[in-house]
Amino acid sequence: MVSHVSSIDTDHEDMIHDAQLDYYGKRLATCSSDRLVKLFDVVGDQQTFVAELRGHEGPVWELAWAHPSFGNILASCSYDRKVIIWKETANGWVNAWEHKNIHDSSINSISWCPYEYGVLSLACASSDGDITILSCVDGEWSFSKVSADKAHATGVTSVSWAPAVLPQQAGASVVKRLVSGGCDNAVRIWTCVDDVWQESPDVLSHHTDWVRDVAWAPSIGLSSSTIASCSQDGTVVIWTQDTAASGTWQKRVLRDFQAPVWRVSWSVTGNVLAVSASENKVTLWKESLEGDWTCLSEMTA
C-alpha cells in the first residue's frame, strides 16, 4: 500500500490543477486557478517555499520541467492562451520567454521533447484544435503546427512525446512521435521525419467521451511502445504496439472507474502507472508477466 507521507500547504487561493517534481525529485512546482505558479524545495518530508511566479491572466492548467541539461527551466500553460517559460538565474526565477500569439483559445497541455534530440522543444495542445511545437535554437524561438488542419476538430486536451529513438546509422533521418487526446474522443499519433509532421493512419478509438489525458510510457529497452489514455467516460486504456514489426496498436481496458478519470502518469521506469480519478483516489497499476494489470495500491486524497 502507498502511505500518506506528508502534505504541503501551498497557500494557493483556488483549485490546484497540476503538481510536478523536477528531474531529481527535489523541487516541486504547483499551479492553480488563482493564476499563480509556486515552487518548493522538497527534502524528505520537509518543504521550503522558493518562489511565486506571476504572469498568467487566467487559470494555469499544466506545468512541465525541462531536462536539467538545458538549465533549471519550467514551462506553464493557461486558459489565457499563453505559454510562459520560466528560468532560474542568479537573481532568482524570471519570465524568460512568453508566447501569447500561438493559439486562439486555452492552452490545455504541454510536454517537452526528449532531451536526447538536443533541442529545447515544447509541444502545446489547445482548445482551438491545434498542436503547436515551440522550438528554441541559439536563443531564438520559432513555432510550427503539426497539422495544416485541426489536430482534433473540437479541441485538444492532452499531448505527450514518445521516448527518443535515435538513428542506428549515420545520415539516417530522426523520427519523432507524439500522442494527443481530444474532445473528439480520439487518441491520435503524430510522426515527424525531416521536420515534416504527419498523422498516423492508426486512430486509437475506444473512448466514448472526451479523452482527458494521454501518456507515452518511457522506454525500458523493449521493442514495443505503450500509451495510456484516460477519459471522461471513466475508462483507462493501455495501447501497445510491437515497434520492431511496425504492428498495429492493441488495446486493453485497465478498468472502468465509473467516474471521470483526469490524469495518467508513468513511473520513470515505465512499468507502473498512476491513475487519478474524480472520486479523489489515486491508484497504482503494474503489468504482470502474464500481461494482466494489477492494482498495487490506492490512496484517497
Side-chain angles (χ1 to χ4, degrees), residues 24-83:
Y24 299 108
K26 297 293 184 65
R27 183 162 285 176
L28 175 70
T30 63
C31 63
S32 165
S33 281
D34 64 8
R35 308 179 182 185
L36 299 179
V37 175
K38 297 192 178 189
L39 302 177
F40 303 85
D41 281 335
V42 180
V43 179
D45 60 353
Q46 301 296 314
Q47 307 89 31
T48 304
F49 175 76
V50 173
E52 180 179 278
L53 308 181
R54 296 175 177 267
H56 284 294
E57 302 169 58
V60 186
W61 301 131
E62 202 162 293
L63 303 164
W65 290 96
H67 190 271
S69 62
F70 297 104
N72 291 333
I73 293 176
L74 177 71
S76 59
C77 66
S78 168
Y79 179 80
D80 64 7
R81 302 178 293 173
K82 290 195 294 188
V83 170

